[in-house]
Amino acid sequence: MIWYPYEQMKKMKTPYKIEDAKGVYLYTKDKKLIDSVSSWWSVIHGYKHPELNKAIEKQLDKFAHVMLGGLVHESAQKLSDKLQSWLPKDLDYCFFSDSGSVAVEVALKMALQYYMNCGEFQRTKVLALEHAYHGDTFKTMEVGDDEDYHFVLKAYGKSKNVIHIPTNIEDLEIAFEKYHNQLNCFIVEPLLQGAGGMRMYDISFLKRARELCDKYNVLLIFDEVATGFGRTGNRFVADLVTPDILVLGKALTGGYIGHAVTVANHKVYKGFYDDNPNHALMHGPTFMGNALACSVALKSIEIFESQDYMSKIHKIEEITKREMQGFSDYRIKEIRIMGACVCIEVHDSETIKGYQQFAYERGVFSRPFLNYIYAMVPYIISEDELIKVLGTMKEWFEINK
Ligand SMILES: *Cc1c(COP(=O)(O)O)cnc(C)c1O
């Protein structure tokens, strides 16, 4: 039987069984649902996209997968070329992996080893943010800061190797002054912390982080697994402030196949590139550079560009702001909107108990968690469909007064 994610299996309600999916819609046997979650924020083009399907079929006619150890293929080459030219500045070196968590692990390993290769063995610490989420593997749990995800780590006691700070410039400056010669990196979800509660913050924080990282020679890592490909209203937050290492996942393949990439800049790459075999990056997920994943990722980026997805995203933000304008309720703590992400935070999680079923009955799939009802819709959503998603959120509060 299936052991489901983030569930107490004893109490779990039966999941909705999906029989078909097309565009923004999921189909159960008797319901048609707008997927307001985009299958964990990844299905940016919607389901069963003809061009994405075709790209995979074309690759499948050749082969589904060959390993990247000692072998290479056209789709991986083309995707790394595309990312190299598409991503800002000298973020040029693409290390592929099969999931966001693994790609973050790779970024953290890169940062640690970068300084070992440079002979700075004392730089063992990672600076991270409170409420951060960077994945569910062990090191990413340690770097993350969410009781719900990593309370299991309590068995080890508090980590000596990760420092968590609140998201404000003052605490950032204090941390750098105190720990700078022990830090190998500062890792953040830039502008939007997703699984930690859709928390949004200002670009000035990242600008200051860049300055401090430069001043103290600490690597800056952007985990854009969730924020990448337009979600914040920026193509990448890395377009505004450039990190040394950028991690992409989720929407990379348009939600078709689990794949991710850790992109290093020239400085980081140079820290590994020499005659010493011990300075190599000793990592290699079995399915890195999977041919089906690379071919669909390439096509996904092509569509993102040619169909001007950034303007679609700006339109989503505009409609969302308009529809939520003036909406309030005594049970709501805050409504946050950034790009194609909207979140209603309530004071008491009891307030939103039952929302998922309520939305389901109205033709919207939603997955609220803790104190948050949110939507991260596919970018191809129509205005009417988006209004329906937002209207359902508002209706919940109006009906249950
Ligand atoms: C989802 C997510 C991850 C983990 O990605 P997986 O593919 O689920 O392993 C890491 N970082 C952020 C910011 C995420 O949102």
Side-chain angles (χ1 to χ4, degrees), residues 41 99-102 104 133-135 189 223 225-226 250:
W41 327 339
S99 76
S101 302
V102 174
V104 173
Y133 176 79
H134 294 293
E189 294 157 271
D223 175 355
V225 171
K250 291 200 163 92

Side-chain angles (χ1 to χ4, degrees), residues 212-372:
L212 290 164
C213 283
D214 288 340
K215 178 175 175 191
Y216 293 114
N217 191 26
V218 171
L219 297 177
L220 181 60
I221 302 176
F222 279 6
D223 175 355
E224 292 218 52
V225 171
T227 58
F229 300 98
R231 190 55 68 180
T232 66
N234 306 286
R235 201 181 57 138
F236 300 97
V237 183
D239 289 328
L240 309 178
V241 170
T242 323
D244 299 290
I245 301 173
L246 172 65
V247 186
L248 303 175
K250 291 200 163 92
L252 174 67
T253 65
Y256 266 63
I257 301 177
H259 222 66
V261 63
T262 308
V263 189
N265 71 2
H266 191 63
K267 169 182 164 169
V268 172
Y269 187 74
K270 237 176 52 188
F272 290 77
Y273 188 84
D274 62 37
D275 293 322
N276 187 341
N278 295 331
H279 287 183
L281 180 64
M282 298 306 285
H283 209 101
T286 304
F287 292 108
M288 71 182 291
N290 173 269
L292 298 178
C294 288
S295 60
V296 76
L298 250 172
K299 183 57 75 178
S300 169
I301 293 171
E302 198 182 298
I303 296 168
F304 190 100
E305 277 190 298
S306 67
Q307 300 188 12
D308 193 9
Y309 268 46
M310 288 315 300
S311 74
K312 291 189 203 294
I313 293 160
H314 293 142
K315 189 87 205 196
I316 289 172
E317 178 167 16
E318 196 185 299
I319 295 166
T320 306
K321 284 185 170 156
R322 184 191 74 208
E323 293 298 311
M324 300 313 268
Q325 176 83 38
F327 177 69
S328 67
D329 185 279
Y330 67 97
R331 292 160 294 184
I332 294 176
K333 187 175 171 195
E334 190 177 44
I335 299 176
R336 295 190 280 274
I337 299 165
M338 182 185 276
C341 174
V342 52
C343 174
I344 298 179
E345 178 175 354
V346 295
H347 292 288
D348 180 353
S349 61
E350 283 298 315
T351 304
I352 56 177
K353 284 255 159 68
Y355 179 72
Q356 186 175 53
Q357 187 60 24
F358 174 89
Y360 174 84
E361 279 152 20
R362 282 154 185 78
V364 175
F365 174 67
S366 171
R367 198 178 143 90
F369 63 101
L370 302 173
N371 292 20
Y372 315 104

Side-chain angles (χ1 to χ4, degrees), residues 187-223:
I187 182 167
V188 292
E189 294 157 271
L191 295 188
L192 170 63
Q193 294 183 300
M198 310 299 162
R199 292 161 194 266
M200 298 164 187
Y201 60 91
D202 193 76
I203 190 72
S204 58
F205 179 81
L206 296 173
K207 287 185 175 153
R208 186 68 185 127
R210 182 67 272 179
E211 286 170 6
L212 290 164
C213 283
D214 288 340
K215 178 175 175 191
Y216 293 114
N217 191 26
V218 171
L219 297 177
L220 181 60
I221 302 176
F222 279 6
D223 175 355

Side-chain angles (χ1 to χ4, degrees), residues 55-303:
I56 289 202
E57 282 160 17
K58 208 170 134 205
Q59 177 62 50
L60 194 54
D61 280 341
K62 294 183 208 156
F63 50 86
H65 177 68
V66 296
M67 69 178 188
L68 225 50
L71 303 175
V72 73
H73 57 87
E74 193 181 8
S75 294
Q77 279 175 328
K78 278 191 169 164
L79 179 58
S80 74
D81 287 349
K82 179 68 206 179
L83 289 170
Q84 178 173 354
S85 63
W86 204 47
L87 295 174
K89 305 241 172 99
D90 64 340
L91 287 163
D92 287 348
Y93 304 91
C94 298
F95 192 96
F96 294 108
S97 52
D98 35 25
S99 76
S101 302
V102 174
V104 173
E105 293 276 348
V106 170
L108 295 168
K109 197 172 179 179
M110 260 180 197
L112 178 64
Q113 194 184 337
Y114 171 84
Y115 287 102
M116 292 175 78
N117 287 357
C118 297
E120 294 194 49
F121 289 88
Q122 84 290 357
R123 288 192 185 260
T124 52
K125 287 189 182 10
V126 172
L127 186 63
L129 294 179
E130 288 177 3
H131 308 293
Y133 176 79
H134 294 293
D136 289 347
T137 54
F138 261 75
K139 189 68 187 177
T140 63
M141 278 198 294
E142 197 187 3
V143 171
D145 174 42
D146 191 320
E147 290 289 304
D148 269 0
Y149 292 109
H150 72 178
F151 80 97
V152 68
L153 289 181
K154 279 190 179 144
Y156 298 117
K158 201 171 156 40
S159 170
K160 293 187 299 288
N161 294 320
V162 180
I163 298 143
H164 287 105
I165 56 165
T167 313
N168 69 63
I169 289 177
E170 202 187 327
D171 286 289
L172 182 71
E173 288 172 343
I174 292 169
F176 266 90
E177 256 166 53
K178 193 162 166 199
Y179 298 109
H180 62 87
N181 56 359
Q182 300 169 57
L183 294 177
N184 58 64
C185 71
F186 177 37
I187 182 167
V188 292
E189 294 157 271
L191 295 188
L192 170 63
Q193 294 183 300
M198 310 299 162
R199 292 161 194 266
M200 298 164 187
Y201 60 91
D202 193 76
I203 190 72
S204 58
F205 179 81
L206 296 173
K207 287 185 175 153
R208 186 68 185 127
R210 182 67 272 179
E211 286 170 6
L212 290 164
C213 283
D214 288 340
K215 178 175 175 191
Y216 293 114
N217 191 26
V218 171
L219 297 177
L220 181 60
I221 302 176
F222 279 6
D223 175 355
E224 292 218 52
V225 171
T227 58
F229 300 98
R231 190 55 68 180
T232 66
N234 306 286
R235 201 181 57 138
F236 300 97
V237 183
D239 289 328
L240 309 178
V241 170
T242 323
D244 299 290
I245 301 173
L246 172 65
V247 186
L248 303 175
K250 291 200 163 92
L252 174 67
T253 65
Y256 266 63
I257 301 177
H259 222 66
V261 63
T262 308
V263 189
N265 71 2
H266 191 63
K267 169 182 164 169
V268 172
Y269 187 74
K270 237 176 52 188
F272 290 77
Y273 188 84
D274 62 37
D275 293 322
N276 187 341
N278 295 331
H279 287 183
L281 180 64
M282 298 306 285
H283 209 101
T286 304
F287 292 108
M288 71 182 291
N290 173 269
L292 298 178
C294 288
S295 60
V296 76
L298 250 172
K299 183 57 75 178
S300 169
I301 293 171
E302 198 182 298
I303 296 168

